[in-house]
Amino acid sequence: MGLLSKKDQKLILDPLADDNPITIQVLGICSALAITAQLKASIVMTVSVIFVLGLGNVVISLIRNIIPSKIRIIVQLTVVAALVIIVDQVLKAFSYQLSKELGAFIGLIITNCIIMGRFEAFALGNGPWKSFLDGVGNALGYGVILIIVGFFRELLGSGTLLGFKVLGDPIAKTGLYAIGYENNGFMLLAPMALIVVGIIIWVQRTRNKALVEDH
Amino acid sequence: MSNRTDSNSYTILFAVGMVLVVGALLAFVASSLRPKIDENKRIEKQQNILYAMGVNENDESSAIFISDAEVAEVFEKYITKQLVITDGTNVEESNDAYLIDVKKEQSNAKEGKERKLPLFVGEKDGKKFYVAPIRGKGLWDAVWGYVAMDANMVVQGAYFDHKGETAGLGANIKERFFMDDFAGEHLKDASGKFVGIAISKSNADPLNNDKTDNEVDAIAGATITGDGVAAMIKSELKLYMPYFNTLKK
């Protein structure tokens, strides 16, 4: 990280742990529930959000001085919507099956609160380079949680990771299944995503007491 | 902020400029990717048709198509004839029948114009399959599929897909546990009358052992999607009855 100053490093690293958009800011929960039944979908969503948020932050930052303040929310929405449509079209052209699986969720990036939140809270007041780092950092922080949740949901729910049968074959009863292990179908349903996110929040705040809010 | 960006005329000008720039950009992206996307859709159609007649790479639980790279060749091998049916019994052969847009034909029919019905005749292990595309409405948006039948209109296999049904509920129509139930189901009742296949919540046969009851088990929580699938099977496949009647003679 010699390339980045201390401040810049903070922009990338903070959202990964102590200022995580999902577990600390509690933003972007909806998509964290919806698409984490499979690890692959989590990874693709992460990459898409990195692209949209990194680039979106730069665009907003570049035009921050000429955006009329009266319509700035609409301008922000237009920028996200345009970027999301581009992601959607590119996926349809180059990864058709995946775009079908993600389907509506790609469109839902537009309403991902993290994106509008970072535009409004950071990009409108900072230069393009810093905004880019902030965007990538927050998208990564979001992605880390998505991937952790996706990992456990796919492993415990389907017994696979990225589609590979890592625990053996549930029909032929090989591997773990030979000694009576069963997949937990409940892991594939949305409520379990919330519980996994809850466990991550619990672990994180136990390790770092400074994160616990006083009430 | 400076006064300059606060004025009404500036705001309007900015909005107009933004719309023009963004519009042009999106139009450019959409039109430059169009051929690639169309190609993907064409490949998908071939994969769907082959899937319905049992040419696929399914493992024990998930639905897996013939790969993109091989599908053109496999399609050529298994699909022996592509027919376009008009007026119920008027049959023409056409190698591009699978490109017929069912949605367009449906709206043609609504306007009183002639509707072209594509039917794909396939052969696998010495058995003949008749695959028909169907299209209808689910809860949120379109549902469609391909149904493979034998000459007596007994379903041999089916593939369903949807545009925006609820994940985990209606979206399950494209899961194996639902699609596989259709294999062997009769579309006609004992007297030979076309009745379709109902997707039944009160089905007394959840294991689907009775193939002549014209019913399969519904998906819990997906009543309207299921009704939509049943309705499209009934209304769309009925149109093929006259053609299948000619096969018997």
Side-chain angles (χ1 to χ4, degrees):
Chain A
M1 286 283 208
L3 280 170
L4 301 172
S5 70
K6 269 259 146 47
K7 263 190 172 165
D8 289 352
Q9 282 183 29
K10 253 178 88 69
L11 287 176
I12 290 261
L13 296 178
D14 267 4
L16 289 184
D18 289 350
D19 195 21
N20 190 284
I22 295 184
T23 62
I24 307 295
Q25 301 172 34
V26 200
L27 293 174
I29 293 285
C30 1
S31 50
L33 304 189
I35 54 140
T36 49
Q38 289 163 334
L39 188 53
K40 191 175 164 195
S42 304
I43 293 173
V44 174
M45 189 66 169
T46 305
V47 174
S48 313
V49 171
I50 290 176
F51 175 79
V52 172
L53 190 50
L55 210 60
N57 254 1
V58 172
V59 173
I60 292 292
S61 172
L62 283 173
I63 58 173
R64 69 184 187 281
N65 292 325
I66 60 167
I67 297 176
S69 54
K70 282 179 201 158
I71 57 166
R72 69 177 196 288
I73 299 282
I74 299 173
V75 174
Q76 289 165 14
L77 256 182
T78 313
V79 171
V80 204
L83 289 171
V84 166
I85 292 170
I86 292 173
V87 170
D88 182 46
Q89 293 281 317
V90 168
L91 274 182
K92 268 198 187 126
F94 297 104
S95 182
Y96 190 68
Q97 278 309 316
L98 200 64
S99 85
K100 287 202 67 161
E101 279 167 38
L102 289 176
F105 301 125
I106 288 290
L108 283 179
I109 297 178
I110 298 177
T111 58
N112 190 326
C113 7
I114 295 174
I115 292 181
M116 293 292 282
R118 293 328 289 171
F119 284 4
E120 184 75 8
F122 198 91
L124 275 179
N126 288 284
W129 174 239
K130 279 199 160 46
S131 299
F132 175 73
L133 294 177
D134 177 79
V136 172
N138 273 282
L140 280 173
Y142 165 79
V144 165
I145 304 297
L146 236 60
I147 288 168
I148 295 174
V149 177
F151 176 86
F152 284 111
R153 286 181 75 190
E154 185 173 350
L155 183 69
L156 301 176
S158 319
T160 58
L161 282 177
L162 294 171
F164 293 108
K165 298 192 176 70
V166 287
L167 298 182
D169 195 317
I171 303 292
K173 298 275 177 221
T174 59
L176 263 186
Y177 298 99
I179 53 170
Y181 175 81
E182 290 283 347
N183 287 329
N184 182 353
F186 196 40
M187 287 303 286
L188 296 175
L189 302 175
M192 281 314 283
L194 203 56
I195 290 173
V196 176
V197 171
I199 293 173
I200 296 173
I201 292 178
W202 176 33
V203 170
Q204 196 183 9
R205 287 175 203 215
T206 310
R207 290 168 55 103
N208 185 352
K209 297 280 188 212
L211 297 174
V212 181
E213 298 94 345
D214 294 319
H215 285 293
Chain B
M1 282 285 157
S2 61
N3 289 333
R4 186 176 57 94
T5 58
D6 278 343
S7 78
N8 282 344
S9 50
Y10 178 80
T11 304
I12 291 170
L13 221 69
F14 186 92
V16 171
M18 177 179 74
V19 168
L20 286 178
V21 170
V22 171
L25 178 72
L26 292 183
F28 171 75
V29 170
S31 58
S32 53
L33 292 176
R34 163 106 359 229
K36 188 100 182 111
I37 295 174
D38 285 348
E39 170 73 4
N40 285 336
K41 288 194 173 149
R42 195 181 61 78
I43 288 174
E44 187 193 16
K45 273 190 181 174
Q46 292 189 331
Q47 286 169 327
N48 287 174
I49 293 166
L50 289 170
Y51 183 96
M53 60 174 280
V55 182
N56 50 48
E57 289 171 5
N58 281 355
D59 58 17
E60 68 281 346
S61 59
S62 37
I64 303 169
F65 294 133
I66 298 289
S67 74
D68 289 4
E70 290 165 12
V71 69
E73 200 183 314
V74 177
F75 191 78
E76 193 93 333
K77 182 175 153 204
Y78 284 101
I79 302 295
T80 49
K81 263 193 297 188
Q82 296 189 46
L83 308 175
V84 181
I85 305 168
T86 45
D87 279 347
T89 52
N90 191 1
V91 181
E92 259 175 75
E93 262 191 64
S94 156
N95 280 334
D96 289 329
Y98 75 101
L99 294 175
I100 288 177
D101 184 348
V102 178
K103 187 178 167 191
K104 220 176 185 168
E105 295 302 326
Q106 281 176 340
S107 61
N108 275 354
K110 233 182 232 161
E111 287 163 20
K113 287 189 224 155
E114 182 182 70
R115 176 168 174 185
K116 289 184 195 145
L117 293 170
L119 185 69
F120 318 107
V121 186
E123 217 175 297
K124 188 185 143 201
D125 305 330
K127 215 168 123 184
K128 250 187 172 179
F129 293 87
Y130 299 85
V131 186
I134 54 180
R135 189 178 173 93
K137 278 203 266 308
L139 172 59
W140 304 115
D141 212 321
V143 291
W144 61 91
Y146 293 85
V147 180
M149 296 160 279
D150 68 5
N152 288 317
M153 291 193 99
V154 175
V155 176
Q156 304 297 308
Y159 182 78
F160 299 114
D161 206 343
H162 63 93
K163 194 163 172 200
E165 298 308 298
T166 317
L169 301 173
N172 284 349
I173 57 167
K174 61 184 293 190
E175 293 295 326
R176 283 278 299 280
F177 74 83
F178 181 70
M179 296 192 295
D180 287 1
D181 268 4
F182 283 84
E185 280 292 332
H186 289 238
L187 284 161
K188 296 194 268 193
D189 66 7
S191 64
K193 204 175 120 222
F194 184 91
V195 287
I197 297 173
I199 293 174
S200 166
K201 287 200 287 185
S202 54
N203 192 354
D205 174 33
L207 292 175
N208 199 29
N209 293 321
D210 182 359
K211 299 292 189 187
T212 53
D213 59 357
N214 306 103
E215 276 187 353
V216 296
D217 210 20
I219 301 170
T223 308
I224 297 180
T225 309
D227 288 350
V229 170
M232 84 173 163
I233 288 173
K234 194 166 180 183
S235 64
E236 296 280 285
L237 292 181
K238 194 174 185 177
L239 303 172
Y240 289 90
M241 265 292 269
Y243 173 76
F244 278 95
N245 284 339
T246 64
L247 290 176
K248 274 188 248 160
K249 283 164 201 161

